[in-house]
Amino acid sequence: MSQNRPKTILVVEDNQAMNLAICDILELNHYKVISAGDGVDGLSQMRRQRPDVVLCDIMMPRMDGYTLLQNARSDELLRTVPFIFLTARSSAQDKRHAKGIGIDDYLVKAVDAQDLLLAVSNVLRREEYVVVQAER
């Protein structure tokens, strides 16, 4: 069943070193990882292979994280994909704005690897719960 396959995480981060570090952490913890350098590429990747979770920066060229989230939420096939923002933006206003458009979690850089993994695990657990409840 779906619990036996590795969960797919899409990492959308324009800083190449940060992107690679996040991908390494996730891969070492047995996630399948897809990577994108900005929101335009991220949306394209999402449409090609629907991920189980999107881990996304906010400030990126071409399409920022807010716009990527709004595009995903307006797409019938992608609207339920959990999103976690991982960003340098730490103001209460930024967090409120993200929550207002439907973010599932909000992490501030530089995030500890364990906090990152816990956030991913939490959104996956919530998603599994919703699926189980819907099947009942």
Side-chain angles (χ1 to χ4, degrees):
M1 193 139 135
S2 68
Q3 292 148 325
N4 293 333
R5 73 168 177 82
K7 298 297 184 181
T8 301
I9 313 297
L10 171 61
V11 176
V12 187
E13 168 64 60
D14 63 318
N15 179 301
Q16 195 170 21
M18 177 70 75
N19 191 315
L20 184 59
I22 294 166
C23 290
D24 285 347
I25 290 166
L26 294 169
E27 286 172 348
L28 286 170
N29 286 274
H30 312 290
Y31 291 106
K32 179 181 176 189
V33 180
I34 305 168
S35 177
D38 62 39
V40 171
D41 291 339
L43 188 57
S44 176
Q45 290 280 9
M46 288 178 76
R47 288 180 171 148
R48 249 183 265 133
Q49 180 180 353
R50 186 184 189 277
D52 295 297
V53 177
V54 175
L55 188 59
C56 184
D57 190 10
I58 292 177
M59 298 178 291
M60 297 180 290
R62 298 198 311 156
M63 181 190 295
D64 66 15
Y66 294 129
T67 307
L68 175 58
L69 177 61
Q70 289 170 326
N71 275 281
R73 293 297 185 248
S74 66
D75 184 314
E76 189 173 324
L77 298 174
L78 302 174
R79 74 172 39 126
T80 61
V81 174
F83 259 75
I84 300 171
F85 276 160
L86 176 58
T87 180
R89 299 182 79 151
S90 61
S91 76
Q93 181 180 358
D94 288 320
K95 291 176 186 175
R96 274 192 298 276
H97 179 63
K99 288 177 182 179
I101 60 172
I103 199 70
D104 293 279
D105 205 344
Y106 193 103
L107 302 172
V108 177
K109 294 176 187 172
V111 69
D112 176 83
Q114 293 304 313
D115 290 338
L116 173 68
L117 293 169
L118 187 59
V120 169
S121 175
N122 284 341
V123 297
L124 286 170
R125 191 171 29 252
R126 282 193 303 265
E127 190 70 13
E128 281 289 328
Y129 178 77
V130 168
V131 169
V132 168
Q133 294 302 311
E135 288 173 354
R136 289 185 182 166

